[in-house]
Amino acid sequence: MTTEDAYIIQGGKKLKGEVTLSGAKNAALKMVIAALLFEGKVTLQNVPRIRDLDELLHLFTELGATAEFKDSNTVVIDGTGLKTNTVDLLHGSKIRSTFLLFAPLLRKFKEAHIPNPGGCRIGARPIDRIMNGLKELGGVVDYDHETGYYHARLAGKTQGEYTFEKPSHTGTEFMVMLSVFAEGTVHIHNAALEPEIDDLISFLNEGGALICREGSSIIITGVASLVQKKPYSIVSDRNEAVTFAVLGLITKGDVTVGPIEPTLLDVFVSQVKKSGGGVEIKGTNKIRFFYKGPFKASQIETEPHPGFMTDWQQNWVVLMTQAEGISTVHERVFENRFAFISELQKLGAKIEYDTTPVINPKQYYHFTYDPEKVYKQGIKIYGPQQLHSGVLTVTDLRAGATLAIAALLVPGESIVNGVSILERGYERFVEKVTKLGGEIKRI
Ligand code: EPU
């Protein structure tokens, strides 16, 4: 039995080889919920076995739905038996995606009760824009501050249109799920563009939905029911691909990731090339990342897709500790995604906050900017810096992978504590790193 929650890592080895990517966490979590909108059974393939998914499927059984794994990555979901419209506080508040359960629960019960969602503490992460969308399409929503529960009602079918003040990834997915059975046609404007959303749309359309994307607008024509005709396989995880790419580059190794549609990583790939990393697109679904000389400093601003993703920023920061010159990263999407910086500083990284104000912050940032608050959204990374081993603590999921990368870079033994946070989103991380020649042990 596991007593600790840590990795012991002997770093300093070049990581080399091929990594088979898992299904995307940020698609899988939504698709298993969307499966509850179907009549009868739904089979999903390439489902990553990660902690967030286990948590969610545990909730399913409490709600009366079934989720049965046919093999390690194929799950069969059946929402026929849904018997309660209230999501349990303990499990429901742990993951960000829980509020998406409003879609199937409102369809079945017309009323539902769901705790304020959790997820990584990388910002306040409110769901105000999303709940406004539900109201705009015909729902009634109240939030009970005492219990921490959202209560929603939707007597009829959704109808009308909704324009997001700023795009929201999960919010867009929610509006889509909510509108599958709409009255007539629902239009969602200023929708997010993440490929995982389009994967969800394909999955729903294969089951009979009528959803069509026109740039940042999504048009949904209501249908009477959804029935799956054949199993659906979830798209590969872009964020996992970036983590292993950085591992290959930073350890002066050579790592190929796949299967992945190379265009999904266009922005990352061009940034790696600009910074002096080696990249080779291999056929239609693999990308090789390899060391080909010293890295150059870079200037990054995070953005939703198709920009440089906020989820890549942490991994990129540790790579830039090895680059020549001063790199900058400005986080625009979440307001607290630099908690890992103090951990990297423990290893000798020279990173400073840059609090120079930006022009028009309300527009520039994707979170709701409060002029009364002090934000630390920019950093300067001075490189190249020789890092040393140490004892680290994971602050959030992507930061977890970043600390593991740092520990695999530096010679000697490092301990990374709190890795169950990393394992919320990375499948078989230890096994994959070991296969590339890394020395890592879970204790
Ligand atoms: N926001 C609001 N109000 C809302 C909705 C969003 O203020 O009603 C703010 C958020 O707080 C954030 C910004 O808008 O500052 C963008 O949030 P968005 O809704 O787009 O993000 P999300 O759906 O909560 C998903 C992923 C994140 C990923 C982002 C960006 C899931 C479960 N999470 O978050 O993934 O970083 O999109 O693509 O899909 C991760 O995998 O580690 C992770 C955090």
Side-chain angles (χ1 to χ4, degrees), residues 349-400:
K350 211 176 152 217
I351 302 174
E352 280 171 7
Y353 282 98
D354 176 3
T355 49
T356 315
V358 298
I359 298 161
N360 201 352
K362 275 198 169 174
Q363 202 190 328
Y364 181 75
Y365 292 120
H366 290 264
F367 50 85
T368 302
Y369 179 81
D370 176 356
E372 301 299 318
K373 274 197 194 159
V374 178
Y375 294 93
K376 286 170 147 186
Q377 298 302 123
I379 54 166
K380 281 183 182 171
I381 309 145
Y382 296 84
Q385 199 72 29
Q386 179 84 52
L387 305 185
H388 53 78
S389 58
V391 178
L392 304 165
T393 302
V394 174
T395 52
D396 61 78
L397 201 166
R398 304 293 162 203

Side-chain angles (χ1 to χ4, degrees), residues 25-26 29-30 96-97 120 122 124-131 167-171 173 194 238-239 309-311 333-335 337 366-368 397-398:
K25 166 182 90 76
N26 292 343
L29 290 171
K30 332 299 175 56
R96 170 81 177 155
S97 316
C120 284
I122 52 180
R125 307 192 81 184
I127 57 169
D128 52 337
R129 300 172 198 158
I130 304 166
M131 290 299 110
S168 164
H169 178 167
T170 313
E173 290 159 334
E194 270 76 9
R238 300 178 288 150
N239 298 330
M309 294 276 297
T310 166
D311 304 277
V333 180
F334 290 104
E335 70 271 44
R337 225 171 180 177
H366 290 264
F367 50 85
T368 302
L397 201 166
R398 304 293 162 203

Side-chain angles (χ1 to χ4, degrees), residues 167 169 190-198 213 215-216 238-239 262-271 300-312 332-333 366:
H169 178 167
N190 202 18
L193 299 168
E194 270 76 9
E196 292 79 16
I197 302 170
D198 291 327
R213 183 189 271 285
S216 62
R238 300 178 288 150
N239 298 330
T263 56
L264 294 183
L265 287 181
D266 270 353
V267 170
F268 179 74
V269 161
S270 65
Q271 190 55 59
I300 298 285
E301 289 183 17
T302 64
E303 280 178 78
H305 186 77
F308 193 99
M309 294 276 297
T310 166
D311 304 277
W312 306 341
R332 293 177 62 192
V333 180
H366 290 264

